[in-house]
Amino acid sequence: MAINFNLNDLQAFRAVAELKNFRKAAEALHVSQPAFSRRIEKLEEALGVRLLDRTTRRVSLTSVGRDFDRAVQQLLDDLDHTLLGIRGVAATRMGEVTIACVPSTVYYFLSQVISRYHERYPKIRVKVFDASANEVLSAVSRGEADFGLNFVGAKEPDIEFKPLLEERFVAACRRDHPLASKRRVNWTELGQYDYISVSKASGNRLLLDQALSGLPGRPQSIYETQHVTTMLGLVEAGLGVAAVPSSAMPDADHPLLVSVPLYDPVITRKIGLIRRKGRTLSPAAQQLYAFFSEMKAKRGKPAGRRAVS
């Protein structure tokens, strides 16, 4: 049989097999939907079989399509492994990786790892989906993200959770605030000042509410935000104090913000990599995933954070 299709056609088939939607698959490959449809039609005509059953609402693989999908996935992964391993080719290799993460991990983890990854693979596009802990978990479970960086997921049956570090919550305040000079602050003392918190939709808020349940004099917020980064902006503007994960805080030499350890009780959270069980990462995604593990092993132990073995 003459080969009347090419690598682009195989990549189009893998995209629609994964996403079950022509529009989303076309967007993922950055081509128009008509051009994408022609690639699938060309592939089916070349093979002489129907690979996909299509209706106005959904796309599904035929029995032949399922067998072909497994073969194509292995073929493309083998090709990626080969190209990524060839000296000089890695720098020009193109592709895409989607990582989901909670916003409070961006400063400590994501920016440094992505920077290093980009140096190695400058042509691979990295898409960051920053959202709440539950939204990050859902994105990974549904296959919308290759993997995620989160503090929930360890108890999910379909999720593999690989711990990276355990960090404590600290008080965030301005350097000119009365709490800034203290070695540590308890929660009751923190509650004596204007307190800024994230909304009840936040995983961090749920964690804190559970840990502080029944504590007399616990902080009561007068401002609420959706994300930790926004909350820190209000702290920096002098509107109050906040309790944040230590990884969300800037370095100790920040001109305005300072962190003070919180105690009585000490509240911690575990940050880890989450991925869907049974799903093989693409070579590009696997390499980025490995970079996080390497960073865990090589970094020192910042204040308020410890690596999890």
Side-chain angles (χ1 to χ4, degrees), residues 3 19 26 28 48 83 92 122 154 167 171 213 220 237 245 249-250 255-256 265 285 293:
I3 302 298
L19 298 173
L83 293 178
T92 61
E167 61 177 346
S213 177
Q220 301 296 322
M249 291 296 292
L256 290 177
S293 298

Side-chain angles (χ1 to χ4, degrees), residues 169-172 187 190 195-198 208 228 231 241-245 262:
F169 279 81
V170 298
W187 290 90
L190 188 69
Y195 182 68
I196 308 166
S197 74
V198 285
L208 292 178
V228 170
M231 188 166 60
V241 297
V244 302
L262 283 163

Side-chain angles (χ1 to χ4, degrees), residues 19-90:
L19 298 173
K20 303 294 191 296
N21 182 285
F22 267 57
R23 179 183 58 80
K24 291 181 179 179
E27 291 175 353
L29 295 182
H30 310 293
V31 298
S32 67
Q33 193 165 332
F36 182 88
S37 297
R38 286 195 294 272
R39 291 185 183 182
I40 300 299
E41 292 170 0
K42 176 184 172 185
L43 184 59
E44 290 182 324
E45 289 174 2
L47 296 174
V49 294
R50 179 174 290 277
L51 300 172
L52 302 167
D53 286 328
R54 284 156 279 186
T55 67
T56 55
R57 291 180 171 232
R58 63 191 296 261
V59 177
S60 60
L61 294 170
T62 64
S63 58
V64 175
R66 287 192 293 271
D67 291 337
F68 187 65
D69 181 46
R70 286 190 289 269
V72 171
Q73 183 174 357
Q74 184 63 53
L75 175 67
L76 293 178
D77 283 352
D78 288 346
L79 178 60
D80 272 353
H81 276 298
T82 300
L83 293 178
L84 287 171
I86 297 175
R87 183 183 300 273
V89 174

Side-chain angles (χ1 to χ4, degrees), residues 167-182:
E167 61 177 346
R168 71 187 295 172
F169 279 81
V170 298
C173 59
R174 283 176 57 101
R175 290 189 177 277
D176 56 3
H177 192 276
L179 295 181
S181 60
K182 292 184 173 290

Side-chain angles (χ1 to χ4, degrees), residues 160-218:
E160 174 188 315
F161 184 93
K162 181 178 182 179
L164 292 178
L165 92 163
E166 184 172 0
E167 61 177 346
R168 71 187 295 172
F169 279 81
V170 298
C173 59
R174 283 176 57 101
R175 290 189 177 277
D176 56 3
H177 192 276
L179 295 181
S181 60
K182 292 184 173 290
R183 295 185 61 185
R184 61 179 188 163
V185 176
N186 65 44
W187 290 90
T188 302
E189 187 175 5
L190 188 69
Q192 297 173 7
Y193 298 91
D194 288 345
Y195 182 68
I196 308 166
S197 74
V198 285
S199 71
K200 292 183 178 180
S202 165
N204 284 318
R205 172 68 176 272
L206 177 61
L207 191 157
L208 292 178
D209 284 350
Q210 290 175 340
L212 298 175
S213 177
L215 180 71
R218 60 178 293 184

